Amino acid sequence: MTDRKPLYLMTPALVWLTAFMVVPCLLVLALAFFRRGIYGGIEYTFTMENIALVFDPLYAGIFLKSAWIAGLSATIAVVIGYAAAYAIAAAPSRRQATLLFFAVLPFWSNYLVRTYAWIVMLNREGLIAGVAVWLGYDGDLPKMLYTETAVVIGLVYNYLPFVILACYAPLSRLNPEIAEASRDLGGGGWTTFRRVILPMTVPGIATGFVFVFVLSIGNFVTPALLGGGQFQMIGNLVYAQFLTANDWPFGAALSMFLIAIMMGLLTLQTFATERASGARRED
Amino acid sequence: MRGTANPKLMLMILSAVFAFLYIPISVLFALSFNEGGLPTVWTGFSVKWYGELFRNGDIMGAALNTLIVAIVSTILATILGTLLAVGVEIRRRKGRFLETIIFAPMIIPDIVLAIALLSFFSLLNFTMGLHTVIVSHVVFNLAFVCSVVRARLKTFDWAIVEASADLGAPMIVTLWRVVLPVMLPAVIAGALLAFTLSLDEFIIAFFTAGAGRDSITLPMQIFAMIRFGVTPEINALAAIVMTVSVIILALSQRLNRGGLPGQ
């Protein structure tokens, strides 16, 4: 078959993606270098002010806060997700598909609904408070909803299924004989896990971590709903620049920064994956 | 892996994780049948919140908008995405650039794509509404359809396409009568996936729907309801939305595992 025909098939989709993804994204990139008009709007003169403003201490603080929350959520999600994936991979093979299906199922329901479920849980009149009272606790409960902790719980909850999936893939491909060999050579359970299994499953861990981190750092829904607008994250800041402050150039600069963080992390993840497979080849 | 782990510990981990995943959802379901509608006090079984839901014009209007967006964007995305997948797989010599463009809609943060589209539409003076939401949804939907169909095409025997061409069938006939029937389960699975994604998508719709009330979708309505005063109706709404997504997705997974006809 010639090389020309497939081009006709691909053209409609490529035109669509160019018009409604590539061009709009380039537009945002360009916007970041324009000045904000006096009455909102955009003044078409080149400036680096917006980029400089991103590194202003005021906004740098918000970045650090977002990175902290995203990093914490990603770490917790990876620890829980890896443990769950390990337990699934250790189950009898005929049960693994079912376990995996039910672990990922919540991921396919509406994000807002899943977040709302945590409002119901963490509310002062919510389930957790109810259980505490039922268990005989009668002091003042600490505030749970509209806190940083609530945001982290929400993020971990929403992205956990993906981490389970990402970690399960390398774990299920491990050859059990490798662990046996490690045992035969005198490695205990923990040593085998730390020195054999863990290094071979780094790509899954990296994928899970990067995914949760990237989605969390740009998230504005969870901080808005579970954080109650108590603190800002980059996503909320971008949202505010576009929908309330009407400073599109600065909003554009912020989102370019988000993309830069994302690309940096994806590169790191690719590197981790390649290193892990390289190490395996040397064995 | 098997036999190397402590079964008791594994069971404990699984129970804890599944409890974490399912307790919040189950609470929501249970509450949707609570007469009083308040989280802590169970006042008796009732379906009255479901009744309220169907009498709420705002919610029903938003549900209709969501269906329109999901159906139209799914149809467009399925056609574009399937053609793209076939094109890419025929053209084995893949450019890195092409791969980047195809994967980008799946990895670009939602909020970035959302503001990009908002800037684009408003600088071009497009009037925003349901049509701009549909156009935007096609962007990420076609990427997902394309990846599902491509996965199926990886195991496709291209010799039958060559056979069809040797027997004198034009490209379009070969596609319609040879390629499409083989990959139909994947196309339908991709369409169902796109439909669910579109049904649940919030951020992009939120930015590209414009200011009018008539282009509010269900997730936008849910967001507004959560933010400005929680009414017990939302428990019923949440239960329905969740059930619908899960059923469609389960169907999609089943189709995609169904194996190729004739194999």
Side-chain angles (χ1 to χ4, degrees):
Chain A
M1 216 169 288
T2 63
D3 254 343
R4 232 167 224 210
K5 279 170 185 159
L7 212 57
Y8 293 126
L9 301 174
M10 296 190 286
T11 304
L14 292 179
V15 167
W16 198 284
L17 289 177
T18 306
F20 301 113
M21 182 185 73
V22 179
V23 171
C25 286
L26 290 176
L27 182 70
V28 173
L29 179 64
L31 271 181
F33 296 98
F34 289 130
R35 210 179 287 272
R36 181 197 182 188
I38 305 166
Y39 307 104
I42 297 136
E43 201 180 285
Y44 293 95
T45 43
F46 177 85
T47 175
M48 293 293 286
E49 279 166 21
N50 303 304
I51 313 293
L53 198 56
V54 171
F55 296 98
D56 186 278
L58 176 68
Y59 297 110
I62 294 177
F63 278 117
L64 288 179
K65 181 104 184 162
S66 307
W68 161 250
I69 290 180
L72 192 61
S73 307
T75 309
I76 297 173
V78 163
V79 171
I80 302 176
Y82 192 90
Y86 194 96
I88 292 175
S93 19
R94 68 200 149 78
R95 257 189 243 145
Q96 290 186 16
T98 316
L99 285 171
L100 206 61
F101 176 76
F102 282 104
V104 180
L105 192 63
F107 194 64
W108 290 117
S109 64
N110 189 291
Y111 185 92
L112 294 164
V113 167
R114 278 179 287 154
T115 306
Y116 169 68
W118 278 98
I119 295 186
V120 172
M121 297 287 289
L122 299 172
N123 210 308
R124 271 193 195 287
E125 288 92 44
L127 186 81
I128 293 175
V131 169
V133 170
W134 184 72
L135 288 174
Y137 186 86
D138 58 356
D140 257 352
L141 281 164
K143 186 181 176 190
M144 289 179 292
L145 190 57
Y146 306 138
T147 60
E148 209 177 286
T149 313
V151 176
V152 173
I153 292 176
L155 293 170
V156 170
Y157 182 74
N158 277 311
Y159 299 134
L160 183 63
F162 182 83
V163 181
I164 297 178
L165 214 54
C167 292
Y168 173 79
L171 279 168
S172 67
R173 277 197 301 266
L174 280 186
N175 183 349
E177 283 166 18
I178 293 173
E180 273 164 39
S182 164
R183 291 268 165 100
D184 290 347
L185 293 169
W190 175 245
T191 312
T192 301
F193 174 73
R194 195 172 54 86
R195 303 210 26 201
V196 180
I197 297 178
L198 200 59
M200 291 182 79
T201 48
V202 163
I205 297 173
T207 308
F209 185 90
V210 168
F211 184 87
V212 179
F213 189 90
V214 165
L215 286 175
S216 301
I217 201 168
N219 200 306
F220 82 89
V221 175
T222 302
L225 296 180
L226 293 177
Q230 301 292 304
F231 55 94
Q232 279 204 313
M233 285 177 58
I234 309 178
N236 307 78
L237 203 56
V238 173
Y239 163 89
Q241 297 311 314
F242 273 85
L243 295 187
T244 50
N246 209 12
D247 187 349
W248 289 20
F250 181 48
L254 286 169
S255 50
M256 282 305 126
F257 194 73
L258 259 186
I259 291 270
I261 295 175
M262 194 196 84
M263 296 213 292
L265 283 171
L266 286 177
T267 313
L268 269 179
Q269 179 217 341
T270 315
F271 181 71
T273 311
E274 270 165 18
R275 240 193 78 169
S277 62
R280 216 171 302 157
R281 235 173 277 127
E282 279 162 33
D283 287 342
Chain B
M1 284 298 300
R2 274 179 302 127
T4 62
N6 175 350
K8 260 192 194 139
L9 181 68
M10 295 298 118
L11 191 65
M12 264 167 57
I13 291 173
L14 278 183
S15 317
V17 170
F18 277 94
F20 177 61
L21 285 176
Y22 282 94
I23 286 175
I25 297 177
S26 318
V27 168
L28 221 53
F29 266 90
L31 283 181
S32 71
F33 295 106
N34 185 7
E35 170 132 49
L38 279 171
T40 33
V41 211
W42 180 262
T43 47
F45 181 88
S46 158
V47 289
K48 79 170 189 199
W49 298 115
Y50 288 87
E52 294 285 323
L53 195 65
F54 288 104
R55 277 191 293 277
N56 185 324
D58 285 351
I59 295 177
M60 287 299 113
L64 181 66
N65 284 343
T66 303
L67 272 181
I68 294 171
V69 170
I71 290 170
V72 180
S73 73
T74 297
I75 292 171
L76 284 170
T78 305
I79 296 168
L80 297 182
T82 304
L83 289 177
L84 180 63
V86 177
V88 173
E89 289 301 313
I90 291 178
R91 191 171 176 267
R92 298 271 168 80
R93 198 160 41 77
K94 281 163 230 152
R96 237 211 144 110
F97 178 68
L98 191 63
E99 291 286 315
T100 312
I101 288 204
I102 297 172
F103 277 115
M106 297 195 277
I107 57 166
I108 292 179
D110 293 7
I111 190 157
V112 174
L113 189 57
I115 60 159
L117 285 159
L118 167 68
S119 316
F120 178 71
F121 291 137
S122 65
L123 288 182
L124 288 182
N125 279 325
F126 264 44
T127 318
M128 287 189 266
L130 278 192
H131 57 285
T132 40
V133 178
I134 292 172
V135 162
S136 310
H137 276 198
V138 172
V139 172
F140 64 84
N141 273 343
L142 87 82
F144 281 97
V145 171
C146 176
S147 77
V148 171
V149 175
R150 273 181 77 185
R152 173 59 59 97
L153 283 173
K154 291 262 191 281
T155 57
F156 182 74
D157 183 5
W158 289 98
I160 61 173
V161 172
E162 274 152 37
S164 167
D166 288 347
L167 293 170
M171 181 73 169
I172 189 78
V173 175
T174 305
L175 280 180
W176 186 252
R177 301 195 49 183
V178 179
V179 182
L180 188 64
V182 174
M183 60 184 191
L184 198 59
V187 173
I188 298 173
L192 289 173
L193 174 67
F195 186 77
T196 329
L197 290 172
S198 187
L199 218 52
D200 282 344
E201 201 284 326
F202 165 64
I203 297 170
I204 292 168
F206 186 68
F207 278 85
T208 56
R213 240 234 76 99
D214 353 313
S215 50
I216 283 184
T217 65
L218 206 50
M220 289 162 75
Q221 176 75 27
I222 294 175
F223 184 72
M225 284 169 79
I226 298 174
R227 265 191 123 176
F228 308 109
V230 171
T231 64
E233 280 166 307
I234 197 176
N235 297 327
L237 182 57
I240 292 176
V241 166
M242 198 172 286
T243 312
V244 170
S245 314
V246 165
I247 289 174
I248 300 175
L249 246 303
L251 209 63
S252 161
Q253 289 237 319
R254 221 193 148 74
L255 270 169
N256 216 13
R257 268 205 300 265
L260 305 179
Q263 263 196 343

